[in-house]
Amino acid sequence: MLAAPVVAAQAERLSMRRVVVTGLGAVTPLGCGVDHVWNKLTAGESGIQAIQSFDVSDLPAKIAGVIPVGETSEGKFNVDDYVERKEQKKMDTFITYAIAATAQAVKDSGWEPTEEEDLDATGVIIGSGIGGLQGISEGTLIEKDRGPRRLSPFFIPANLINLASGFVSIIHGFRGPNHSVVTACATGSHAVGDAARLIMWGDADVMVAGGTEAAVCRMGVAGFAAARALSTGFNDEPTTASRPWDKDRDGFVMGEGAGIVVLEELEHAKKRGAKIYAEVLGYGLSGDAYHLTAPAPDGNGGFRAMKGAFRTAKVDPDKIDYVNAHGTSTPLGDEIEHGAVKRLMGDHAKNVAMSSTKSAIGHLLGAAGAVEAIFSVKAIETGVIPPTLNLENPSDGCDMNLVPKVSQERKVNYALSNSFGFGGTNASLIFGPAP
Amino acid sequence: MSDVAERVKKIVVEHLGVDESKVEDNASFIDDLGADSLDTVELVMAFEEEFGVEIPDDAAEKILTVKDAINFIDENAS
């Protein structure tokens, strides 16, 4: 055990380094670029559509949140604007999404250092739930059909999860901590929380953090369908399939994309006159120790992650204005999370707005937490709370303000974002107003 | 320019994303054309594919320039 003065010194040190958000970047099924995505999200648009890029005739789920491809100027994704043609074959799509979202976030932050000491003080933590699933599937077939000599020398680095962080560091020259997170659907939240702590502890002054995913491929859909996790009853009406807390919900809808934030030590950001969106106040983590894919029925894991976030934020639950829920639209998870939030908030629950933006973009798996952190930050910045689409009839007991179908305007000082992953891994983040 | 030379140069242009004018006979893949060690492995694979030859690792290590590649293929392709 550490001596009391050491603990006190550590506590003081931690409280000395505050972390703020100074840059945002996103590639989502609603488009490419945070402003564009946010406008569509708060207008109640959906990015869920019929899958067209591969054969789904024998798959029970035939819809997903896919990235609209087109001109960057129109808010669509054009990979050529971010990665040179000849480099594209060296990386799976999940990496290109991360590179694109990072380019946006770095530009937005204005932090584009060239001095060695600045580059050394800037790190990267980008995670992914699955990584290069499509690339690994294709490589497996090449090896099987044509033998190991036909396997590309880029097969391994193109598909490794930490290579998103690797490529980003090489492109921008960021030589600080280079790390990655793999915690299924909690990945993005863990990456943002861990990056904030690296800044708090002085390992870096600036961190590029977030999550990325590109698992909308045959293997991805088939795999999640085999686990009976996906919505299958709304293939004919894709935009109505993701319906968190609604009585008719029947599973999640896969999505893909990336969310990246630039986190920065407060004084560092102030000194250079950076635009500060919000402060990262709290971060809590927990494990369910219960089941591979199902959440613990009493919501204990999510409850303790949220509690941890409040403990580190030194903010009471009754200060929260908005909760961006994990809310995946699965029969079990939504009600369990709702119960845990209510238990934690107590009487204040009736004052809180809670929505699930997965209703509009689907479940971005390893990118979800990062994209939803961005939405939480945007809610603080703009005073608009994005809606829960398709919430017609809430399940019994789901009586919080779940922002059904239409966004709500309200001052948001403090926002909580939850992410829970397969394996029973949970992360919660609390954001507060720019200091 | 022989047929082999033309096809070799086309592959180099495609894989390394370089301008055709730079792909001279004596151009070194690494020093002149910006390839790294993994790029050269991939180039050799592309030559194998295009010309139906097998280029063993010890031979591949000696293919450093455009001309090296053309010569190897001229000598070994059926």
Side-chain angles (χ1 to χ4, degrees):
Chain A
M1 210 165 109
L2 295 171
V6 177
V7 173
Q10 286 182 345
E12 191 185 333
R13 183 158 175 275
L14 282 172
S15 64
M16 279 168 59
R17 303 255 307 174
R18 296 169 67 178
V19 179
V20 292
V21 181
T22 57
L24 306 174
V27 177
T28 82
L30 282 174
C32 195
V34 171
D35 288 341
H36 180 82
V37 172
W38 181 248
N39 290 340
K40 285 184 172 266
L41 182 76
T42 52
E45 292 188 35
S46 169
I48 313 294
Q49 52 181 280
I51 293 170
Q52 305 197 329
S53 57
F54 54 91
D55 179 22
V56 291
S57 57
D58 55 354
L59 295 172
K62 304 178 195 300
I63 58 174
V66 296
I67 304 301
V69 172
E71 291 306 313
T72 300
S73 59
E74 291 169 13
K76 293 181 176 168
F77 181 63
N78 181 353
V79 63
D80 294 338
D81 287 347
Y82 299 100
V83 184
E84 272 184 62
R85 212 31 91 76
K86 75 179 173 68
E87 296 294 310
Q88 290 170 18
K89 63 175 186 287
K90 300 180 183 176
M91 60 187 80
D92 185 84
T93 307
F94 85 99
I95 294 176
T96 63
Y97 291 159
I99 290 171
T102 300
Q104 297 166 21
V106 165
K107 189 174 176 209
D108 184 39
S109 75
W111 180 245
E112 298 177 71
T114 52
E115 298 293 325
E116 287 206 9
E117 62 181 300
D118 291 334
L119 294 167
D120 291 353
T122 305
V124 187
I125 297 189
I126 301 172
S128 181
I130 307 184
L133 185 58
Q134 171 79 14
I136 291 172
S137 316
E138 287 169 0
T140 303
L141 293 179
I142 289 171
E143 194 285 322
K144 181 170 178 279
D145 295 341
R146 304 170 62 201
R149 283 184 57 83
R150 300 321 313 164
L151 213 49
S152 161
F154 300 105
F155 173 65
I156 296 291
N159 295 300
L160 288 185
I161 285 179
N162 74 295
L163 262 284
S165 293
F167 270 107
V168 162
S169 72
I170 292 164
I171 290 168
H172 295 276
F174 299 149
R175 307 193 306 192
N178 198 267
H179 207 341
S180 192
V181 173
V182 185
T183 50
C185 306
T187 296
S189 294
H190 277 134
V192 172
D194 289 351
R197 290 207 174 157
L198 287 179
I199 295 172
M200 287 174 185
W201 278 88
D203 295 288
D205 292 329
V206 182
M207 290 294 297
V208 170
T212 184
E213 203 78 77
V216 180
C217 58
R218 263 180 75 81
M219 284 300 285
V221 176
F224 280 109
R228 304 295 186 268
L230 299 181
S231 168
T232 57
F234 299 88
N235 288 329
D236 297 333
E237 298 172 277
T239 61
T240 68
S242 186
R243 41 197 317 126
W245 300 293
D246 187 85
K247 278 182 174 159
D248 292 335
R249 70 186 185 278
D250 70 339
F252 78 79
V253 177
M254 287 180 73
E256 61 180 0
I260 299 289
V261 296
V262 174
L263 302 183
E264 191 164 348
E265 193 271 325
L266 174 61
E267 296 307 321
H268 189 279
K270 278 164 113 176
K271 205 167 148 189
R272 67 182 186 90
K275 173 184 164 72
I276 297 175
Y277 285 96
E279 181 169 8
V280 185
L281 287 173
Y283 173 39
L285 315 79
S286 74
D288 276 6
Y290 175 71
H291 187 267
L292 289 180
T293 58
D298 61 358
N300 182 286
F303 181 84
R304 284 180 294 111
M306 285 187 268
K307 223 173 159 189
F310 283 109
R311 179 180 61 79
T312 53
K314 299 185 179 71
V315 167
D316 291 326
D318 65 3
K319 291 283 188 290
I320 294 292
D321 304 291
Y322 172 53
V323 179
N324 186 298
H326 185 57
T328 57
S329 189
T330 54
L332 280 178
D334 295 3
E335 279 170 64
I336 291 171
E337 181 182 17
H338 184 280
V341 170
K342 266 184 89 170
R343 192 146 60 93
L344 193 89
M345 301 281 176
D347 278 350
H348 179 62
K350 62 180 185 300
N351 306 322
V352 176
M354 177 160 78
S355 69
S356 169
T357 44
K358 291 186 179 81
S359 61
I361 58 174
H363 190 350
L364 271 56
L365 309 174
V371 169
E372 290 159 19
I374 291 169
F375 294 159
S376 302
V377 165
K378 288 297 284 184
I380 291 173
E381 186 202 12
T382 63
V384 179
I385 292 177
T388 304
L389 301 185
N390 307 310
L391 179 51
E392 308 277 354
N393 301 297
S395 282
D396 295 341
C398 293
D399 56 0
M400 286 178 66
N401 170 12
L402 299 171
V403 200
K405 299 201 277 192
V406 183
S407 56
Q408 296 176 3
E409 287 188 28
R410 114 178 228 179
K411 172 108 181 112
V412 178
N413 282 312
Y414 297 95
L416 168 73
S417 181
N418 284 336
S419 296
F420 312 136
F422 276 7
T425 172
N426 312 295
S428 296
L429 292 164
I430 295 174
F431 297 94
Chain B
M1 190 158 53
S2 74
D3 173 54
V4 168
E6 203 168 313
R7 285 155 72 194
V8 163
K9 287 180 182 179
K10 189 159 171 270
I11 287 170
V12 173
V13 167
E14 275 170 14
H15 280 262
L16 299 183
V18 287
D19 197 89
E20 210 178 327
S21 64
K22 286 191 172 166
V23 189
E24 295 168 345
D25 282 358
N26 290 323
S28 152
F29 298 128
I30 289 177
D31 295 335
D32 301 319
L33 302 175
D36 64 20
S37 58
L38 294 181
D39 290 321
T40 59
V41 174
E42 204 190 33
L43 264 185
V44 165
M45 285 175 63
F47 296 145
E48 288 183 327
E49 194 102 317
E50 172 75 17
F51 297 101
V53 289
E54 186 164 321
I55 308 178
D57 283 354
D58 54 350
E61 281 167 19
K62 291 179 192 126
I63 299 178
L64 304 174
T65 66
V66 175
K67 198 171 178 39
D68 293 340
I70 295 168
N71 288 345
F72 182 92
I73 292 156
D74 277 338
E75 287 161 22
N76 295 279
S78 48

